[in-house]
Amino acid sequence: MEEYLQGFVSTSIVKTLLAPLERYKLIRQTQDILTLSSKEKMTNFYQFLKKTISNEGPKGLFRSNLTAIYMWIPQVYAQYVFYQNIKQVTYDKDILSMGLSATLCGITTSIFSYPFDTIRVRQATEIQIPGQKRMYVGFEETRFNIKIESGFFKGLYSGFTIGCVQTLLFAYGIVGLNSLLDGITPYNQQLAYLGSYALIYPIDSVRRRLQVKSILFQQEASKKQNLWEKLKFNMKEWNFSWGYGGFLAHNVRGIAMLLILEQVNFESLYQETQNQLNQALKY
């Protein structure tokens, strides 16, 4: 369990540092289906920084990051509880069993963490518009509003099925590319991760759009007068021309995470934190 806690601490620190890139990516993936004017939409990271700081202050760059850290708690715990058992039953050295093991572990973990992810995405993609009140402020308020809008499972687990498909393709993509690149480059694992995510990124964009398909979107769709207009409006979210929005930001964030985690000794930081906590508990 200690190695999972070390991973939780180190990853939480790095994700917090890079949280602006994650929020920008989520906004780019979903903004076309939200009721935003052309002035409110963002096409590059500079616009995101400028508009967010202007409307929300610097803390707006890190909006939803606390929920992302909350999400890691059930993820870490579920991995600790289920990973070894799943691996013992399914894991072997062939590609099929390795991919199956990773897929089952990912889906099982997602069952417990997915509601946190939906709350995080709703918070991150709600752009502050001057003069308008936000719906998704704070963890509990966001959860309550999603439940009122769509119900617990339909709202908080929106896009979960397509997320399982994404996990399956991602797992086998990593295993396959890792085996293909093994011996060719010392960075085969990193390249396999980035390459696999590039392949399934449009699917991730669809899932994110399902997660933020809020009551505002439904109200806007209901205003369309005829079947053709309604069809065009709803099909807009399945148009793959937007499929790679925010992809560059995701890769920059992913590469930066790898470099920081490799260069910084988070294990010593974790041990020092544990020592201070143990010392404090003595009094």
Side-chain angles (χ1 to χ4, degrees):
M1 185 61 179
E2 184 173 333
E3 64 183 51
Y4 283 98
L5 291 176
Q6 290 177 8
F8 172 79
V9 172
S10 59
T11 306
S12 296
I13 293 171
V14 177
K15 283 197 169 189
T16 298
L17 293 174
L18 301 173
L21 285 168
E22 176 67 5
R23 188 181 179 199
Y24 169 70
K25 182 199 80 167
L26 292 172
I27 289 173
R28 285 295 309 278
Q29 284 181 302
T30 60
Q31 65 180 354
D32 288 343
I33 67 166
L34 300 176
T35 51
L36 300 173
S37 68
S38 57
K39 292 182 179 180
E40 294 160 352
K41 290 184 178 180
M42 306 172 191
T43 58
N44 57 65
F45 189 64
Y46 173 73
Q47 285 184 345
F48 165 74
L49 291 175
K50 184 178 178 180
K51 292 180 180 181
T52 302
I53 293 174
S54 176
N55 295 332
E56 306 175 31
K59 68 178 182 180
L61 300 174
F62 300 88
R63 191 165 198 265
S64 80
N65 183 64
L66 185 59
T67 303
I69 294 175
Y70 290 160
M71 183 178 70
W72 268 87
I73 297 174
Q75 279 186 337
V76 169
Y77 185 75
Q79 285 178 357
Y80 174 72
V81 171
F82 294 107
Y83 176 68
Q84 292 300 334
N85 292 327
I86 292 174
K87 188 175 180 180
Q88 287 178 3
V89 174
T90 61
Y91 186 82
D92 204 344
K93 293 184 178 180
D94 63 281
I95 292 178
L96 288 177
S97 64
M98 290 166 65
L100 178 62
S101 178
T103 300
L104 291 177
C105 184
I107 292 174
T108 304
T109 301
S110 186
I111 291 172
F112 297 93
S113 62
Y114 200 86
F116 293 84
D117 189 43
T118 300
I119 291 170
R120 174 183 74 96
V121 172
R122 289 286 185 100
Q123 291 174 336
T125 56
E126 186 179 35
I127 299 171
Q128 178 65 64
I129 301 173
Q132 290 190 15
K133 184 179 179 181
R134 273 182 163 154
M135 295 179 62
Y136 309 121
V137 180
F139 181 86
E140 275 301 314
E141 183 176 345
T142 303
R143 183 191 64 81
F144 178 78
N145 285 332
I146 294 174
K147 183 180 177 182
I148 292 297
E149 285 179 19
S150 309
F152 179 82
F153 287 103
K154 188 177 179 181
L156 292 174
Y157 282 89
S158 179
F160 179 78
T161 302
I162 199 169
C164 292
V165 175
Q166 175 186 337
T167 300
L168 173 69
L169 297 176
F170 184 52
Y172 277 101
I174 287 181
V175 172
L177 289 173
N178 189 35
S179 299
L180 183 65
L181 296 171
D182 189 24
I184 300 176
T185 170
Y187 302 103
N188 57 302
Q189 293 182 345
Q190 292 88 341
L191 291 174
Y193 176 88
L194 294 174
S196 182
Y197 204 85
L199 293 174
I200 58 91
Y201 193 84
I203 300 176
D204 186 61
S205 293
V206 172
R207 180 170 70 92
R208 298 304 184 191
R209 289 175 171 234
L210 291 173
Q211 285 180 302
V212 303
K213 197 172 181 179
S214 66
I215 192 169
L216 295 175
F217 179 85
Q218 296 167 16
Q219 289 174 346
E220 189 69 20
S222 68
K223 295 177 183 178
K224 304 302 177 183
Q225 297 300 317
N226 58 63
L227 180 62
W228 173 241
E229 290 297 321
K230 289 183 178 181
L231 181 62
K232 287 197 298 182
F233 185 82
N234 283 278
M235 284 299 291
K236 181 169 60 174
E237 66 177 301
W238 301 97
N239 183 352
F240 274 70
S241 64
W242 48 258
Y244 283 91
F247 181 66
L248 179 60
H250 172 81
N251 282 327
V252 171
R253 175 177 171 272
I255 293 171
M257 282 188 65
L258 290 173
L259 292 175
I260 293 172
L261 288 170
E262 285 182 359
Q263 296 299 320
V264 181
N265 187 2
F266 282 103
E267 184 175 353
S268 62
L269 175 62
Y270 169 79
Q271 291 295 341
E272 181 63 26
T273 303
Q274 283 290 96
N275 293 336
Q276 291 180 5
L277 180 60
N278 292 333
Q279 189 69 23
L281 291 175
K282 293 180 180 179
Y283 297 98

